[in-house]
Amino acid sequence: MTRERTPHLVIVGGGFAGLWATRALASERIRITLVDRRNHHLFQPLLYQVATAGLSAPDIAAPLRHILGHQRNVEVRLGEVTRIDKQARSVQLVDGTSLEYDTLLLASGATHAYFGHDEWAKDAPGLKTLDDAIALRRKLLLAFERAEAEPDPEKKAAWLSFAVVGGGPTGVELAGTLAEIARHTLRNEFRHIDPASARVRLVEAGPRVLSTFPDVLSLKARRQLEKLGVEVLTGTPVTSIDSLGFQLGEQFVPARTVVWAAGVAASPLGATLDVALDRAGRVLVQPDLTLPGHPELFVAGDLAALTQADGRPVPGVAPAAKQMGKHVADTLRARLHGKPVPGPFKYADYGNLATIGRMAAIVHLGKLQLSGVLAWWFWLAAHVFFLIGFRNRMVVLLNWAVAYWSYQRSARIIFGDVKPPKDPTRG
Amino acid sequence: MTRERTPHLVIVGGGFAGLWATRALASERIRITLVDRRNHHLFQPLLYQVATAGLSAPDIAAPLRHILGHQRNVEVRLGEVTRIDKQARSVQLVDGTSLEYDTLLLASGATHAYFGHDEWAKDAPGLKTLDDAIALRRKLLLAFERAEAEPDPEKKAAWLSFAVVGGGPTGVELAGTLAEIARHTLRNEFRHIDPASARVRLVEAGPRVLSTFPDVLSLKARRQLEKLGVEVLTGTPVTSIDSLGFQLGEQFVPARTVVWAAGVAASPLGATLDVALDRAGRVLVQPDLTLPGHPELFVAGDLAALTQADGRPVPGVAPAAKQMGKHVADTLRARLHGKPVPGPFKYADYGNLATIGRMAAIVHLGKLQLSGVLAWWFWLAAHVFFLIGFRNRMVVLLNWAVAYWSYQRSARIIFGDVKPPKDPTRG
């Protein structure tokens, strides 16, 4: 027993960066407080499955208290952080309390952004939280209900017109899955519409979808999307969105359901640090993930912007967040034991996967490039393996197996009293 | 092909009565419109499991369109019925449209009732829909969070004080499961409270819990509840409920979380029929489940009040609702084919089960009376078997198996931004 005070590490955010840092410090003599405004860690890569009713919320989320219950040096605090005071070394919470820290890891992630068009948010919701996913599920399912009840053929078609804005991984997954739902899941279930006649458009301002992949895989992804029934529109940015549809260059495209998967902005907490941010609001960190002049203040995950020595930026993906979290833990462990700290953070890129739909995916691992069925199995195995918590893995696998053979999506529940949405042309 | 007009049957409500009637008429030449304000059939007997985070919503609900997708003589209509006009033979919907019928089956069920104390609703929510269950889950989990964050010991204890009002099956299940959560599921997860110190009270105005069972089973249920850590208070009615607790005779019992499982009232649609209702608002039907003078208007399920020839009332339970639905279908089928209609409705009582908690239940089947572990396995098998839809059965079984061995409850997700509730003494 020493008489030294146990140092206090505050971690803001129980996402991949925060949680991985916490777990890597399990056996250290350090007091950790993990603050999150939600009670669960979320496996974000599968969020689109909740939005499209393939999985239920608890399949992809686990309570932070449960994950960390047995790690005795951690206290989980449910609360919303409003501000960091880096001079006073304190974290302010919305309930008026504050937490003093010796070391801080800020890992509060990112949210979706509308590039200065926040007025689009109400007609083109995004997908970052479980609540977003449940709301989107409701909106998608109600659009089919509304189409079924609509006597006017033109309006019927507008309710059956779906668009996803943004051709990154989330946009591609959503568009592919939506096409699958329309063509297969809902088959036979309506009497006044043919769900398969729904149009699903994927709109990407840049020249190609999944632009972080090599050209050839990107093209294969496009082919697979088209095979699933998605119309892929590239090269033209959306210039306005309202409840009736969206403007694409000269053309107005009617669509009662538009989903936003185009932009990401860092958590607003970065701005309270009073340091340099990049265009997306991310904090420009040093190679050891600290702030200049503040070796006790780390930023990791989607909130951190770092260009590595080789000139490549660290991507905003789950593996990078985990690695950053671990790097922070390694640095702290070295400091605690008076050992040399690790070198600058380097992202170990083990590959890049994206799923497109039923039996369709692309995989890029170094020289290995896969697409189609094989890539899909690869993607499935990787995602089930990385799901946190043993129970979730089994249940998710079983859900998928059943969904696969039956084309059914088990989570097609609309919460709340269902008043089909009003037609926007009338209200 | 005949030139006769196909008769139109409108069924209001996709619960057990409405759905069982619909399915029993699958091969008849009749046009069926099934109207429900929710898109799913709900397996209500397991609703308490969603409220207590053991199951997720889609485990116990299935989309009506999916269940009936292949039954070509049915159209599912998502909508809320506001009124029945039995002279004009039409059903009014909230969106201003109406449905004309040749035959009507009104099976819109029941909701919870506060015996003229609707002001209790906000502090003592009930449990009838999936939304109720999700809201209750949130309230229960947040009470523990609030206790963890509360510095004042008296208030901490009040947040850890739970009460369930009503000693029927739902109340017993909720109280038993709550005690299990406090004593087992949340163990090790908090740093400033011991969840096992939570007090769970079950309050029943009558002399015993589960009063539809024989005395000896009722007593065994009480013993099992007490073994699980529930304090059972019988013989005194609750006379007031507010955000701080409830009044029980002379005594005010502090409890920040009170759940209402005491009263049931029939759907308000019964009152629009302009016929005799019983005290709970249920429609007094004739032995063939029709209204006097209206052989084309059937009422079934929890909305129907019927005393059988032997003087026993038909109980408001799922098997009775299913049997009524089938009886209506049998009567209609006989009429369609010009055959003699079946006799008066008789409830076939195949037994009565109630679960209490982990490995605790009671079973009453004729002369067979079971309690404890064996009864619990019996209850489990029966409930999994009766869950609608094959997928649900498998997943629910797996969820339960894992939950059983691990004491974990997979659905402990709080939706939405979590601002722990304000302490009512401050606000």
Side-chain angles (χ1 to χ4, degrees), chain A residues 67-346:
Chain A
I67 301 173
L68 297 169
H70 287 275
Q71 187 173 332
R72 300 306 300 181
N73 65 350
V74 180
E75 174 175 340
V76 175
R77 174 88 178 253
L78 190 66
E80 186 170 349
V81 173
T82 53
R83 211 172 73 81
I84 312 295
D85 184 337
K86 69 180 193 290
Q87 307 309 335
R89 294 192 184 174
S90 96
V91 171
Q92 311 293 322
L93 277 80
V94 77
D95 63 7
T97 61
S98 64
L99 293 165
E100 315 296 310
Y101 61 80
D102 298 301
T103 308
L104 176 70
L105 167 55
L106 187 58
S108 46
T111 179
H112 41 263
Y114 292 87
F115 309 131
H117 287 284
D118 285 351
E119 72 276 14
W120 297 353
K122 84 177 155 47
D123 296 311
L127 187 60
K128 269 287 171 190
T129 67
L130 275 177
D131 294 279
D132 293 343
I134 299 285
L136 190 50
R137 179 199 292 177
R138 181 182 171 85
K139 192 174 164 108
L140 297 175
L141 294 175
L142 282 177
F144 287 99
E145 294 292 340
R146 193 62 187 72
E148 169 85 351
E150 175 62 57
D152 181 274
E154 202 176 314
K155 287 180 184 168
K156 205 184 259 286
W159 282 110
L160 286 175
S161 168
F162 299 84
V164 179
V165 181
T170 299
V172 167
E173 285 161 346
L174 277 170
T177 313
L178 251 170
E180 184 190 323
I181 289 174
R183 298 212 163 181
H184 297 285
T185 309
L186 300 179
R187 180 157 43 181
N188 291 322
E189 297 198 358
F190 292 87
R191 301 293 180 255
H192 304 287
I193 57 169
D194 174 10
S197 70
R199 295 184 71 168
V200 179
R201 293 180 176 91
L202 177 65
V203 187
E204 164 60 42
R208 59 199 180 91
V209 297
L210 298 175
S211 60
T212 61
F213 285 82
D215 277 16
V216 59
L217 282 181
S218 180
L219 188 65
K220 285 195 169 153
R222 184 187 182 124
R223 293 271 157 74
Q224 292 180 77
L225 279 167
E226 287 165 350
K227 220 169 120 190
L228 288 166
V230 176
E231 299 168 48
V232 182
L233 310 170
T234 50
T236 312
V238 168
T239 50
S240 81
I241 304 176
D242 63 25
S243 60
L244 295 175
F246 59 94
Q247 190 71 36
L248 193 68
E250 303 291 288
Q251 185 198 6
F252 184 80
V253 183
R256 293 281 195 272
T257 311
V258 180
V259 186
W260 185 257
V264 163
S267 149
L269 283 182
T272 74
L273 289 173
D274 199 21
V275 294
L277 306 177
D278 76 357
R279 245 173 17 120
R282 295 181 304 165
V283 176
L284 298 165
V285 293
Q286 302 194 107
D288 65 351
L289 307 177
T290 64
L291 292 190
H294 285 275
E296 81 291 354
L297 204 167
F298 295 84
V299 181
D302 282 355
L303 180 58
L306 177 64
T307 303
Q308 299 171 94
D310 62 4
R312 291 185 313 142
V314 179
V317 295
K322 291 180 192 176
Q323 291 173 25
M324 285 190 193
K326 276 180 150 160
H327 193 269
V328 171
D330 290 343
T331 305
L332 286 179
R333 188 183 302 108
R335 286 186 194 168
L336 283 168
H337 296 285
K339 298 208 172 135
V341 297
F345 174 76
K346 260 187 77 180

Side-chain angles (χ1 to χ4, degrees), chain A residues 37-39 56 65 69-71 74-75 78 131 145 188 190-192 391 399 412 414 416-418, chain B residues 37-39 56 65 69-71 74-75 78 131 145 188 190-192 391 399 412 416-418:
Chain A
R37 59 180 170 170
R38 302 210 165 76
N39 81 330
S56 66
R65 289 196 188 284
H70 287 275
Q71 187 173 332
V74 180
E75 174 175 340
L78 190 66
D131 294 279
E145 294 292 340
N188 291 322
F190 292 87
R191 301 293 180 255
H192 304 287
R391 175 261 166 196
N399 267 342
R412 275 166 49 207
I414 302 176
D417 266 16
V418 173
Chain B
R37 58 180 170 171
R38 302 208 166 77
N39 81 330
S56 66
R65 289 196 188 284
H70 287 275
Q71 188 175 329
V74 180
E75 173 174 341
L78 189 66
D131 293 279
E145 294 291 341
N188 292 320
F190 292 86
R191 301 292 180 255
H192 304 289
R391 175 261 166 199
N399 267 343
R412 277 165 49 207
D417 267 17
V418 174

Side-chain angles (χ1 to χ4, degrees), chain B residues 114 118-125 139 241-245 255-260 424:
Chain B
Y114 293 87
D118 285 351
E119 72 277 13
W120 298 353
K122 82 177 157 46
D123 295 312
K139 192 174 165 109
I241 305 177
D242 63 26
S243 60
L244 296 175
R256 292 282 195 274
T257 312
V258 180
V259 186
W260 185 258

